[in-house]
Amino acid sequence: MAIDVAPCDLKCNYLTNPLAIRDGAPAFSWSSPLAGAAIRQHAYQVLVANDEGQLSVDSGNVWDSGVREGDTCFDVLYEGDTLEPLQPYYWKVCTWSRTGARSGWSDTATFEMGIGGTGAWTASWISWDDHVIEFDPATEMGPVDAVALGMAPAPYFRHEFDVRDGLDCARLYITARGLYEARLNGFRVGDAVLTPGWTDYSVRLQYQAYDVTSMLCSGSNAMGAMLGDGWYCGYFGFLPKRSGAHYGEHPELLAQLHLRYLDGTSEWIATDKSWKTNWGEIMHADPLMGECHFSGLDPTGWDTAGFDDERWFPVLARGRDTTSIVADPGPPIRITDVIAPRSLCPIESGKTIVDFGQNLTGWLRIKVDAEGGRTVRIRHGEALDANGRLYVENLRTARQIDEFVTSGGPQVLEPHFTWHGFRYAEVTGYPGTLSAEDISALVVHSDVEIAGTFECSDPIVNQLHTNIDWSLRGNFISVPTDCPQRDERLGWLGDAQIFVRTAAYRRDVLAFFDKWLDDVTDAQLESGAFTDIAPNLGLEWCGAPAWGDAGVVVPWTLYKMYGTLQPAARCYDAMSKWMEFIANGNSDHLRTRHLGNNYGDWLAPGRDETPHELLATAYWAYDASLMSELATALGRHEDAAHYQDLADAIAKAFVESFVDETGRVTSNTQTAYTVALFMKLLPAHLHLHAVGHLVEAVRDRGWHLSTGFVGVGYILPVLSANGYTDVAYRLLDQETFPSWRYPIQQGATTIWERWDGWTAERGFQSPHMNSFNHYALGSVGEWFYRFVAGIDQHAESAGFQRVLLRPHPGGSLKWAAATHQSRHGPIRSSWRCDGGTLSLSVNIPENVTATVHLPSSDPAHVQDQSGRGPLVIEEFCGNHSVNEAVYEVGPGEHRFVGALRHPSAGQEW
Ligand code: BGC
């Protein structure tokens, strides 16, 4: 029997129809074909062909998996012969249910192998030759300061070539040391920005591949590119660029265009010494400082054929070195939104403050119609001061200034190689009155798709969820960064590891973090220490607890959230080296040495009282238990046993050193209890006591948080998992600082770095460290999905194979609803309290079973949509009472209703 549905959403290496993929066997995934049919996938067949015609007659002439039993629909690894570089491949999949019903074949998807490894590149690196080109900023731009002197104009490159008749397809493979924008015959190539993204350029460069067939014509064609300094040689991080000498002095370009003809021949057009270079209108372009344009200086038609480049300069061409060049495995950075201003406020003659109503990362697009030679200057900031002026002190040395000298007539002004963190812009020099139609903000980030939604009856909580997402968007720029505005914008490991699970609930971040794990392992030091930031900027900072541990926590989280072992398998050696690094320095199972910068529970309000070696030891045990789980899943059973023994030994040492016989954990801080409980370090007889002490520690702070970057991610999950959801809500409902609500009441539209970034009494926190867009304290998002809405999975499950749907109504919430797009399909949970009744509706995807727990004061009388009572009644969860009606359900929609249990019933503080 055939069913009239087919697998969809086909992905190769987590990307849709990629034009170049990482070396190694491609991994295929798809969405369940049997959606709506409520039948499980029991078997599947994947066909791969090198010719679309072959595939259309159901021949996998490159690989035919055969009919394989299994309900897996992701990470199905290619097992055929070696795949050819540059070759397009076509693939499709069909599936069978247990009863033998067969789905239709999916639509055809494609992947291409890209250009291959370093050896396949015949192009030369080309750059602007300082010895030939003399650019004097003072002559070209008028008086400039030291910062501008440290920047150079963006080099433009051009080259003409012929295309014969009968072109079949063309692919551009391109990368840069710096940022590139590629042009063909007068048009921009692709819609990605800030390419090629950030890696440790001395170790690994990533290239992008573009299908440019339709941009070419028979006869003469022109290819061009502009380069920006970017992460490669721009001002970046908190070390000034030259003394930091991050990666190099000048941007360079490497590109190869592959032309394939219908007659079976092909040719390459590559960067080499025949290319020409010059500067155009971009006088400088820097990530932190901003961009300066002298409009009109772009020679008309420089990127089209027939342009007279007689007076352009020869390039400096040099051969490639051995740095590996890999296909970009992550999602591209794109402009994902265009935002209109909320208000425009002239503050003095020729100066207007524009408020976009949203703190964001990106840049502005401004329409202008002016006489030539007018300077329009835009400063970007996250806040206004008490006088309504732009507040920029917290940017430290980052300038975030874009400047455009007009060329006369109507123009659209927009930078190419910089980005800013801002809500407000101060525009000076605009001719006439700036109106809302003339200016918009472009939102820029790695294009990670939405994978989850959350909404509830409390608008402030909804705003908090929105703010978390905006901070995610603002800080996922090729790597997960701490902040997008000041002179930092670095891939801090601690921030990323505490936030990764929240991020994965909200957006599909698998490919993004998979790419970043390459940065993390590239940065790993000889000693085995993971660094504090990745890509590393030549710093020796490493080994910091809760920061370096990201090297284990992130691959594990990707495994849990997506069910994939690929990242963990790839990083396994690096993770093992990290474990050895810690063990080598700490033979007594207490992690007290090699703690590097040892940030502790960073930015805990007031004083960080949690002993750093306590936090460090807890994380070591946590790492060991996650390693054990991953090793088991990877079939490395000896390692699994070793790491489990290690985790037990560390937990024992932890208890001996930091826990007394009444379950008190040294320092008595919320974070100390939270990590001890979350990381399962306490023996059963102390567990309940410690939970009680945690609740006291919250109460003693007047129901405020005292957690910094680390404790904040775990405290609400720990409270809910231990029967204190009411206390969790009390923290969520707290209005005075430190709390999540406080910044929102001050108008926050993103997550702040500090609980008290701005207070009514004191104004701004110290400008030395006060970002208004820092996602770490937004790691509470995980709790919304996992606990409030209850979309979780059983402890032994990965990728939501065994869903645990256990909502935690409470606080002042009347209803909550969430979805999460799991690898198996969408999981949905929505509950509502109405009078004394709690109703719950859930949706479970195909190939998945779920255990549903409905809390109730009368669980025996809970009913599902068919009037059936629960399978069991659970009175205890671990060692606290719950009173839940429990059902086992399969795919489809299910509804339950029962008497509402007041969340604090039976609990004493
Ligand atoms: C960053 C943080 C980071 C920290 C290390 C700060 O400057 O902005 O987010 O994790 O340094 O403690």
Side-chain angles (χ1 to χ4, degrees), residues 26 156 176 600 610 638 643 659 703:
Y156 288 35
T610 309
E638 252 176 55
Y643 285 122
V659 187
W703 311 102

Side-chain angles (χ1 to χ4, degrees), residues 238 396 482-483 486 488 492 495 547 599 602 709 753 769 774:
F238 34 61
R396 304 194 304 215
D482 56 339
C483 57
R486 69 177 178 224
E488 196 149 350
W492 285 99
D495 308 37
W547 269 250
Y599 305 105
W602 184 248
F709 275 27
E753 178 175 27
M769 211 172 58
H774 236 78

Side-chain angles (χ1 to χ4, degrees), residues 95 403 559:
T95 59
E403 220 166 26
Y559 167 60

Side-chain angles (χ1 to χ4, degrees), residues 798-874:
F800 293 90
Q801 182 68 41
R802 292 267 298 120
V803 168
L804 177 63
L805 228 146
R806 191 176 217 161
H808 287 69
S812 55
L813 296 191
K814 297 273 170 288
W815 60 268
T819 59
H820 174 67
Q821 182 69 35
S822 76
R823 293 282 123 181
H824 299 280
I827 305 169
R828 190 176 67 81
S829 161
S830 111
W831 56 258
R832 177 175 290 277
C833 307
D834 211 350
T837 304
L838 173 67
S839 46
L840 169 71
S841 160
V842 307
N843 260 78
I844 306 301
E846 315 308 321
N847 300 317
V848 167
T849 54
T851 313
V852 179
H853 292 242
L854 191 83
S856 177
S857 57
D858 184 9
H861 288 98
V862 168
Q863 294 190 340
D864 69 6
Q865 71 268 30
S866 320
R868 276 188 298 259
L871 192 64
V872 278
I873 293 167
E874 201 152 289

Side-chain angles (χ1 to χ4, degrees), residues 520-534:
V520 171
T521 49
D522 284 349
Q524 187 175 32
L525 302 181
E526 256 324 282
S527 62
F530 286 124
T531 48
D532 299 0
I533 56 173

